[in-house]
Amino acid sequence: MKDTDIKTLLYAHFLCIFSVILSVLIPSFFMEDFSILDTHLTWLCFCSLFVTSINLVLYLVPKPNASSKRSSLSHKVTRFLKCCVYFFVSCFFFHVIFVLYGAPLIELVLETFLFAVILSTFTTVPCLCLLGPNLKAWLRVFSKNGVTSIWENSLQITTISSFVGAWLGAFPIPLDWERPWQVWPISCTLGATFGYVAGLVISPLWIYWNRKQLTYKNN
Amino acid sequence: MRLGSGAFATICVAIEVLGVAIFLRGFFPASVKSSSRTGLQAEPPAPEPLAGASSNWTKLPLPLFSKAVIVLIDALRDDFVFGSKGARYMPFTTYLVGKGPSHSFVAEAKPPTVTMPRIKALMTGSLPGFVDVIRNLNSPALLEDNVIRQAKAAGKRMIFYGDETWVKLFPKHFVEYDGTTSFFVSDYTEVDNNVTRHLERVLKRGDWDILILHYLGLDHIGHVSGPESPLIGRKLREMDGILMKIYTALLTKERETLSPSLLVLCGDHGMSETGSHGAASAEEVRTPLVLVSSAFERKPDDIRHPTQVQQTDLAATLAIGLGFPIPKDSIGSLLFPVVERRPMREQLRFLHLNAIQLSRLLQENVPSYEKDPGFEQFVMAEKLHGNWVKLHLEEDRSGALLNLGTKVARQYLGALRTLSLALSTHVAQYDTYSMAVGTIIVLETLILLLLSIPQVLRRRAELEVPLSSPVFSLLFYLMFLVLSAIHVVVCTSAESSCYLCSLPWLAAGGVMVLVSALLCVIASAFARMVMDSTFLRKVQQSAAHPCSGWSEVGLLLLLGTVGHVLSLGASSFVEEEHQTWYFLVNTLCLALSQETCRSYFLGDDSKLQCYFHTEPGTVGATCMRQDCTACEAPKAGQASKGLPSGARGGHTRWAVLAGPWLVLACCRLLRSLNHTGVQGAHRPDLSHWLTSPSHRMELSCLAALSLLAVFLLAQRGCSPVVKVALALGLLGVFCYRAATGNLLFPWQPANRGISKGILEARFVYVFVLGILFMGTKDLLRSQVIAADFKVKTVGLWELYSGLVLLAALLLRPHNLPVLTFSLLIQTIMTKFIWKPLRHDVAEITVMHYWFGQAFFYFQGNSNNIATIDISSGFVGLDTYMEIPATFLTVFGTYVGPVLWAGHLAHFLSAEASGDSAMGRACFCYALICSVPVATYIILVTSLRYHLFIWSVFSPKLLYEGMHLLITAALCVLFTATNQTGHTSAWTKTDARN
Ligand SMILES: [Zn+2]
Ligand SMILES: [Zn+2]
């Protein structure tokens, strides 16, 4: 593991953070009265779109995993379709979990689903880009001592921090402050976003500080 | 002294209960009180002020009314009279309010909106403390100065009919009375007819001065079917007729005597949207107050809108209207419209009397009263008043004098308002000394528990409790001397009354001994821990543990518990505590599902493997997760309950994977059954739908299904006799609910007569007692026959199913699914999660605690007094009996925690080896219950001037205290069952070592 790897990781993460910031800035240029709180759903769509596209670009360009062998077009197409299916399944799965956590079943379905989409964007999409539609690999990455590269390590950190952010975001909902961001699911989506960004910032730093101790099986 | 960890924990919790009791006694303060407590000796009334001289008008003014009738309708909400309901159902009262000779007000009641404190507030004009809620059920005589006592002293003849609370509050005050008991909530006709039947005769007689009627029916209807019930309209119409009868009778009497009489219509508190009361929502707080008298005649164009006043204002108004001195502790101000037709001099005299009384009360309760704006206004007004009287005596009436008088009156009214506000916001003194002593005791036991964690974690069955070291005995005597000195100093110097000082010196000395003994034990435990840790470090250096550290679930359990404790500092989190628990339980399920997934797919944890592929004993719970080797080398001689080696795998593995998700789904269903808390309580939930009269068929089916499922789930571990008893008991539960009219028999669709179902309920009680007896017998047998290990498990399960049967009887029918799901979740967790994943005893205990808390809220409880289901205390009781009723109510409220604790006991005895597991579980349970209590006591002490202290934090404090008491009882039971198996397990551990 070299410092250049960590540097690449850092730049990639900066791009991701940049995409989140862009999703706040760009729509306000061509949309009247755009704000995160008032037109929350629009922002969610934009944010999801931007983060997904940046992840795709990152996946297509530097190929950090270097494991993609030459393969036929049909293989690529099925792989892509499989990724799409996985993404929707994960959205649905998150939606179910939110309902189990007490989100209303019938009202606010769109809000809940978009929250599921944004959380999938922060967690499933990077996994799909890095690991592909391979459940075994996912489970390996998310278990103890299962990571094999700094990319996987950072993936682990950002995913977990997104989840924790969304989880913590539910805490202000019962408080009686009557703020606009306490409405379901705004605090949770904001929490997930902050968690994701925090994970993006923390993971290169953490890897840099622990670079002596980190030894990967494949390196 | 050596103690088992269970017994040690039990003693600690018992001491903690004592500490909490002392704290509670100090925390719930006495209300604002007048210190000149000279009994019945009437002080001379204050003379009229006169500038430069003294007035000769020193007597009390003459009464304005010759007779008064007070009609108190329990739970009369303001919109029942002034709103659309009033216009529809109470036409006569609406006429009186709109056009008749009346003054109407919206009187604001202060929480707790419960009957007895409200009666006290109405009659004394003071604000009784929160602790009156607890005393509500056995009301002692009212000692404070009040209108009734003043009336008796003035020789008035009073008659009372209605709620017998009055008779208890004012014994020997009424020349004639008939108390009706308020404990059969489902009775709402008889209870009022018992009042009305006397009315005709009494109204004709006229040999009385004050007649008080307290109607309970409306409150009962509210409790049973809510404020939107059609019964409400019928009841209001009945009340309207009664008012008309009284009014016409009073009018005919007036024609004979030629002096006006007064009719007061009031409510003691309102009714929330669910028909309950006790908290501080607008519906519960706003009550109507209508004063009707021919003295209040008005012109047709005179429109009087109800103005907002305080409930405490009635006492002062009644006293002035009937010509008594105002009660000394009253903080109310005179309702001015009552006297505004009187001559100016009399008006000012009334206002002056009221202001003098309030300012005296202020002087006695606030040290810096001279700076109070109300007091300054009063001094000013009194001066103006003196000048006015002087002018009035010098020159005769003129327009200018009248104007000046109006100005003085306005000044007085301002002063009254400010004074009354200052007094009501002036929080009475907390008894800080008792609070401090209670807190110290609670903290000391908590520290003791925390300090002994390492010892318990080292899996010692017994704890060393050092008591007799010479150094510490010296420390003990020193501490005792110092504390006694402090006690004497505090008690001799404090002006405010102090509970500990009022105790006999032996009891106070006992408390001091306890405090100092605890301190010495802590000191020695700490010293030993320091020594131990240095010793341990050496040991650990020689043999380092291979895989130490926290698991995810363990970490979650720790963080969740800490987070919950910290969340208690915010009023919203206290109000919405159910959300915290649901959230934590859900997260726990997700974490468990992650754990099962990982061990299933990856097998990186050898736990599942060792469950499925080796032949494990049921070491599970005692085998600490670190030493996995213990799992692979199962100990012989223990019951091996693993599945047969060929058939497992396959669907069992899938069941393990699906287990947490099933639990999650159950929790989600239960969450939508009852919405509690403040934000969610008004939203429609399943229980509303089920309890509405049109869905009684669905409710019956659901209840029958739930009872059937309860039987299927609970009968597994029982002996055949108990199985039959359980089945019959559950059938009896259904019959009981059908008899009380909650449920329908499919073959009896017509409306049958509704009874109290006493016979059916007692039938069930017989079976409950029988099952409990069988369980105890089995437990005792397991003690005698030391070798029989299984008998103990069966006995525990039988005890548990007896409790389940009792819970089924007490829970309201729409809550029966809660019981079913509780059993279902316990089964799922036991079979698919706790057994295969081999959690530590501590983890299992904490999980049981979490689920118990969540189930407390699933059944519709909240941290609000009003959600307690009092009706469960009267199941199968003919008359009100305090001890059984209290026991049943408490059990009915804490079904969730108690049943989960019972399941914990059974699970550990079935799965774990020996008694050390049980003792450790008891220790963990005690610890995890006492941490929130101790923290909450400190939080409440620091928040005691918070705005929501009475409405949010105090009820929660009572709930916490009760929970600790129940924990103590559970710990005693744990230790007791543990002792029964003690000998057998002891020999086993000896043999193993
Ligand atoms: Zn009442
Ligand atoms: Zn009531």
Side-chain angles (χ1 to χ4, degrees):
Chain A
M1 181 179 49
K2 295 157 205 155
D3 283 358
T4 49
D5 279 351
I6 299 178
K7 222 170 254 174
T8 329
L9 184 77
L10 189 67
Y11 291 143
H13 281 188
F14 272 136
L15 268 180
C16 290
I17 297 173
F18 189 60
S19 74
V20 173
I21 295 169
L22 274 188
S23 74
V24 181
L25 292 181
I26 286 189
S28 55
F29 284 125
F30 58 90
M31 272 178 68
E32 299 279 307
D33 60 4
F34 173 86
S35 77
I36 293 185
L37 293 185
D38 296 333
T39 53
H40 189 66
L41 298 186
T42 333
W43 173 72
L44 283 185
C45 295
F46 275 112
C47 187
S48 170
L49 212 67
F50 280 40
V51 173
T52 313
S53 45
I54 286 287
N55 266 302
L56 284 178
V57 168
L58 283 176
Y59 165 69
L60 289 175
V61 178
K63 293 211 176 58
N65 217 10
S67 67
S68 56
K69 288 158 237 156
R70 224 177 296 146
S71 50
S72 64
L73 185 72
S74 68
H75 180 76
K76 274 185 178 162
V77 168
T78 48
R79 194 180 156 83
F80 179 74
L81 284 179
K82 231 177 170 181
C83 284
C84 289
V85 169
Y86 269 57
F87 178 73
F88 282 113
V89 167
S90 86
C91 290
F92 186 71
F93 178 71
F94 285 140
H95 190 111
V96 168
I97 286 186
F98 298 153
V99 171
L100 287 178
Y101 257 89
L105 187 65
I106 299 156
E107 308 133 48
L108 303 173
V109 174
L110 187 66
E111 280 84 349
T112 311
F113 188 72
L114 280 179
F115 175 32
V117 168
I118 195 97
L119 195 57
S120 306
T121 312
F122 293 147
T123 56
T124 318
V125 168
C127 287
L128 284 172
C129 288
L130 196 67
L131 305 170
N134 180 0
L135 269 184
K136 273 266 159 62
W138 292 24
L139 282 167
R140 176 179 53 78
V141 170
F142 290 105
S143 56
K144 268 182 207 156
N145 313 320
V147 288
T148 53
S149 70
I150 53 165
W151 291 91
E152 288 178 359
N153 208 333
S154 73
L155 181 72
Q156 201 185 21
I157 292 171
T158 49
T159 310
I160 288 173
S161 65
S162 308
F163 280 135
V164 170
W167 191 78
L168 288 176
F171 278 84
I173 295 178
L175 290 172
D176 57 357
W177 297 340
E178 318 248 319
R179 298 290 155 81
W181 49 264
Q182 278 180 287
V183 182
W184 170 258
I186 297 182
S187 62
C188 289
T189 51
L190 291 182
T193 316
F194 284 127
Y196 178 61
V197 172
L200 289 177
V201 174
I202 289 167
S203 60
L205 299 177
W206 190 81
I207 290 170
Y208 182 73
W209 266 310
N210 291 299
R211 63 188 185 283
K212 294 275 154 57
Q213 287 94 325
L214 288 173
T215 46
Y216 299 116
K217 284 174 200 161
N218 289 13
N219 278 21
Chain B
M1 196 168 78
R2 292 178 77 81
L3 272 179
S5 52
F8 171 73
T10 310
I11 293 172
C12 280
V13 177
I15 296 174
E16 205 171 351
V17 167
L18 180 74
V20 170
I22 294 177
F23 178 86
L24 285 179
R25 190 61 185 73
F27 181 77
F28 289 109
S31 36
V32 180
K33 281 215 174 79
S34 155
S35 59
S36 60
R37 193 160 293 285
T38 45
L40 281 171
Q41 268 176 6
E43 290 168 42
E48 186 182 34
L50 176 55
S54 57
S55 166
N56 55 357
W57 193 12
T58 54
K59 280 199 188 133
L60 272 183
L62 290 174
L64 308 178
F65 310 104
S66 60
K67 270 188 192 340
V69 179
I70 301 171
V71 181
L72 198 162
I73 301 177
D74 212 285
L76 189 67
R77 204 159 84 177
D78 66 330
D79 67 321
F80 288 171
V81 174
F82 304 136
S84 61
K85 276 213 182 75
R88 228 167 99 199
Y89 302 119
M90 302 189 84
F92 176 69
T93 316
T94 310
Y95 155 75
L96 281 183
V97 169
K99 303 194 186 75
S102 70
H103 289 290
S104 44
F105 310 91
V106 174
E108 191 190 321
K110 286 270 186 286
T113 47
V114 182
T115 303
M116 195 188 66
R118 296 320 356 125
I119 294 177
K120 284 188 181 173
L122 282 168
M123 289 299 122
T124 62
S126 62
L127 289 176
F130 200 92
V131 79
D132 284 303
V133 182
I134 316 170
R135 295 194 196 135
N136 196 354
L137 289 175
N138 53 348
S139 49
L142 187 57
L143 298 173
E144 289 125 65
D145 192 10
N146 58 68
V147 176
I148 305 287
R149 176 190 285 180
Q150 295 288 0
K152 179 139 195 290
K156 303 275 181 191
R157 295 169 58 80
M158 287 171 287
I159 295 181
F160 171 77
Y161 301 116
D163 186 0
E164 69 176 354
T165 312
W166 286 76
V167 184
K168 287 182 190 153
L169 279 176
F170 309 106
K172 298 186 197 141
H173 283 69
F174 303 111
V175 293
E176 197 183 314
Y177 60 84
D178 180 13
T180 55
T181 158
S182 76
F183 288 111
F184 283 110
V185 169
S186 47
D187 164 32
Y188 43 80
T189 44
E190 196 81 340
V191 77
D192 285 355
N193 289 342
N194 280 345
V195 179
T196 314
R197 64 181 173 176
H198 303 284
L199 204 55
E200 195 95 15
R201 193 170 38 83
V202 164
L203 287 177
K204 254 183 216 144
R205 257 170 31 198
D207 58 343
W208 46 267
D209 304 296
I210 299 174
L211 171 64
I212 301 172
L213 308 169
H214 186 148
Y215 283 100
L216 285 168
L218 187 69
D219 176 67
H220 290 189
I221 293 175
H223 282 294
V224 172
S225 49
E228 301 306 323
S229 155
L231 292 171
I232 296 268
R234 224 182 295 160
K235 182 55 77 180
L236 290 179
R237 204 165 276 147
E238 180 192 333
M239 293 295 128
D240 197 44
I242 287 164
L243 285 172
M244 181 144 85
K245 198 190 270 176
I246 297 171
Y247 181 69
T248 43
L250 285 179
L251 274 191
T252 46
K253 276 269 143 51
E254 266 175 42
R255 249 169 253 138
E256 295 161 18
T257 57
L258 293 175
S259 65
S261 50
L262 176 69
L263 169 59
V264 180
L265 166 67
C266 59
D268 56 345
H269 48 76
M271 186 189 288
S272 71
E273 279 311 310
T274 55
S276 181
H277 54 87
S281 72
E283 291 90 10
E284 286 159 274
V285 157
R286 289 164 63 92
T287 64
L289 173 61
V290 184
L291 307 177
V292 190
S293 169
S294 50
F296 307 150
E297 284 293 351
R298 55 176 148 175
K299 298 185 196 90
D301 58 336
D302 182 5
I303 297 167
R304 297 167 179 165
H305 288 291
T307 46
Q308 184 119 15
V309 297
Q310 293 296 316
Q311 202 174 35
T312 43
D313 296 346
L314 183 66
T317 311
L318 273 182
I320 281 175
L322 297 170
F324 319 134
I326 300 171
K328 286 192 200 94
D329 303 329
S330 161
I331 58 163
S333 57
L334 172 66
L335 297 173
F336 188 64
V338 173
V339 297
E340 71 188 351
R341 297 282 179 82
R342 310 297 300 175
M344 182 53 78
R345 193 174 171 191
E346 222 171 291
Q347 280 182 33
L348 293 182
R349 173 94 169 111
F350 287 135
L351 289 171
H352 178 242
L353 283 173
N354 194 190
I356 278 257
Q357 178 259 331
L358 284 183
S359 62
R360 266 193 203 147
L361 199 57
L362 190 78
Q363 283 177 34
E364 280 157 7
N365 285 289
V366 185
S368 57
Y369 65 92
E370 275 161 331
K371 289 184 202 106
D372 191 272
F375 192 78
E376 283 166 4
Q377 279 180 23
F378 161 67
V379 173
M380 184 76 184
E382 197 176 30
K383 211 196 270 163
L384 285 176
H385 186 185
N387 288 334
W388 185 88
V389 174
K390 195 174 169 195
L391 284 176
H392 177 81
L393 292 177
E394 279 166 5
E395 54 173 312
D396 241 4
R397 276 148 209 138
S398 72
L401 199 60
L402 194 69
N403 273 344
L404 193 63
T406 324
K407 228 176 256 172
V408 178
R410 212 175 298 139
Q411 180 78 22
Y412 263 130
L413 283 176
L416 284 180
R417 205 174 307 124
T418 331
L419 279 171
S420 157
L421 194 70
L423 280 169
S424 65
T425 51
H426 169 72
V427 183
Q429 309 289 314
Y430 290 101
D431 180 356
T432 333
Y433 180 51
S434 305
M435 277 163 70
V437 172
T439 315
I440 287 172
I441 293 177
V442 170
L443 284 183
E444 278 179 344
T445 44
L446 182 70
I447 292 171
L448 198 56
L449 281 172
L450 288 174
L451 281 180
S452 34
I453 287 179
Q455 261 189 309
V456 177
L457 277 188
R458 257 180 282 140
R459 277 183 284 158
R460 287 228 191 117
E462 306 220 323
L463 288 172
E464 195 80 43
V465 180
L467 278 182
S468 54
S469 147
V471 182
F472 291 121
S473 67
L474 185 66
L475 180 67
F476 168 75
Y477 287 122
L478 272 178
M479 271 307 296
F480 179 62
L481 276 181
V482 169
L483 285 175
S484 309
I486 291 176
H487 182 73
V488 169
V489 168
V490 167
C491 288
T492 47
S493 67
E495 295 110 32
S496 57
S497 70
C498 188
Y499 173 65
L500 275 180
C501 298
S502 66
L503 280 178
W505 59 270
L506 205 64
V511 171
M512 297 306 140
V513 167
L514 187 68
V515 170
S516 33
L518 278 174
L519 197 79
C520 292
V521 173
I522 287 176
S524 61
F526 187 73
R528 209 196 33 223
M529 205 185 74
V530 171
M531 286 190 292
D532 270 15
S533 65
T534 49
F535 170 71
L536 255 186
R537 217 169 291 142
K538 277 179 206 155
V539 176
Q540 271 180 349
Q541 275 164 359
S542 58
H545 258 286
C547 54
S548 58
W550 290 87
S551 67
E552 281 95 342
V553 173
L555 199 64
L556 173 70
L557 289 172
L558 182 73
L559 286 181
T561 310
V562 171
H564 161 252
V565 167
L566 291 181
S567 81
L568 292 178
S571 63
S572 310
F573 280 128
V574 173
E575 281 173 341
E576 309 287 326
E577 200 191 340
H578 58 288
Q579 301 280 16
T580 315
W581 285 115
Y582 299 167
F583 199 71
L584 286 179
V585 164
N586 278 347
T587 312
L588 174 67
C589 287
L590 282 186
L592 287 175
S593 125
Q594 179 255 8
E595 207 177 313
T596 51
C597 267
R598 232 183 28 205
S599 41
Y600 174 55
F601 283 112
L602 292 172
D604 69 333
D605 252 346
S606 58
K607 282 184 279 174
L608 253 196
Q609 309 294 334
C610 95
Y611 179 63
F612 286 117
H613 293 301
T614 64
E615 194 67 47
T618 39
V619 223
T622 38
C623 120
M624 296 276 282
R625 59 173 39 259
Q626 287 97 320
D627 37 20
C628 315
T629 44
C631 306
E632 255 108 38
K635 296 182 179 78
Q638 282 167 19
S640 84
K641 284 177 77 181
L643 296 161
S645 49
R648 72 197 142 179
H651 55 266
T652 319
R653 289 175 150 228
W654 285 110
V656 169
L657 277 184
W661 296 97
L662 262 173
V663 175
L664 269 177
C666 291
C667 289
R668 182 64 177 88
L669 276 177
L670 286 176
R671 175 202 275 263
S672 48
L673 184 65
N674 284 307
H675 284 163
T676 62
V678 170
Q679 294 172 9
H682 58 275
R683 274 184 298 166
D685 52 18
L686 276 177
S687 69
H688 275 99
W689 187 83
L690 283 171
T691 45
S692 78
S694 50
H695 296 126
R696 210 189 284 178
M697 202 61 226
E698 287 87 340
L699 181 63
S700 306
C701 292
L702 184 71
L705 274 179
S706 313
L707 289 176
L708 189 67
V710 166
F711 174 69
L712 289 178
L713 288 167
Q715 52 89 26
R716 289 167 304 139
C718 302
S719 57
V721 183
V722 174
K723 270 182 200 176
V724 174
L726 189 65
L728 286 175
L730 290 172
L731 203 65
V733 170
F734 194 87
C735 292
Y736 167 71
R737 289 294 168 188
T740 50
N742 298 107
L743 300 180
L744 287 176
F745 276 123
W747 55 89
Q748 261 175 341
N751 276 359
R752 282 188 318 142
I754 292 172
S755 74
K756 288 169 192 164
I758 289 178
L759 192 70
E760 288 86 347
R762 289 190 178 163
F763 177 76
V764 182
Y765 282 137
V766 168
F767 285 109
V768 171
L769 291 179
I771 295 175
L772 290 180
F773 172 74
M774 293 291 286
T776 324
K777 200 188 75 187
D778 280 347
L779 269 185
L780 290 177
R781 215 174 66 195
S782 78
Q783 192 182 19
V784 177
I785 313 164
D788 205 349
F789 180 63
K790 262 227 164 112
V791 175
K792 187 185 170 194
T793 313
V794 172
L796 276 175
W797 182 267
E798 282 170 357
L799 281 181
Y800 173 70
S801 52
L803 291 181
V804 167
L805 181 57
L806 184 59
L809 178 65
L810 296 184
L811 285 180
R812 280 174 287 189
H814 68 266
N815 273 336
L816 284 175
V818 177
L819 192 62
T820 313
F821 278 118
S822 150
L823 284 164
L824 186 67
I825 292 178
Q826 284 164 0
T827 316
I828 295 173
M829 295 292 272
T830 309
K831 273 210 166 143
F832 303 131
I833 295 170
W834 289 324
K835 273 195 209 171
L837 291 184
R838 313 183 165 283
H839 286 109
D840 180 30
V841 177
E843 286 174 352
I844 287 180
T845 310
V846 179
M847 283 188 219
H848 272 94
Y849 173 75
W850 280 23
F851 272 104
Q853 290 300 103
F855 270 86
F856 177 74
Y857 294 103
F858 279 143
Q859 77 179 82
N861 288 324
S862 69
N863 284 329
N864 184 338
I865 296 286
T867 51
I868 297 178
D869 175 23
I870 316 167
S871 66
S872 67
F874 306 99
V875 173
L877 293 188
D878 224 347
T879 51
Y880 172 64
M881 284 183 277
E882 190 172 338
I883 295 165
T886 317
F887 171 77
L888 290 176
T889 312
V890 169
F891 182 78
T893 312
Y894 284 89
V895 161
V898 171
L899 284 189
W900 278 86
H903 183 265
L904 175 67
H906 168 259
F907 177 82
L908 289 180
S909 89
E911 303 299 320
S913 66
D915 63 338
S916 86
M918 196 77 131
R920 284 171 57 205
C922 182
F923 179 85
C924 291
Y925 201 80
L927 182 66
I928 202 165
C929 291
S930 48
V931 168
V933 177
T935 322
Y936 194 69
I937 279 181
I938 296 169
L939 278 174
V940 155
T941 312
S942 60
L943 292 173
R944 64 191 182 282
Y945 297 114
H946 193 278
L947 180 61
F948 296 144
I949 188 73
W950 294 118
S951 56
V952 178
F953 291 111
S954 305
K956 173 67 182 161
L957 185 63
L958 293 180
Y959 272 106
E960 282 292 335
M962 201 62 215
H963 189 207
L964 191 73
L965 189 65
I966 284 175
T967 309
L970 287 174
C971 283
V972 169
L973 287 181
F974 266 44
T975 321
T977 55
N978 200 13
Q979 291 305 312
T980 58
H982 193 275
T983 42
S984 58
W986 187 237
T987 47
K988 241 188 270 175
T989 24
D990 267 356
R992 205 186 303 148
N993 298 345

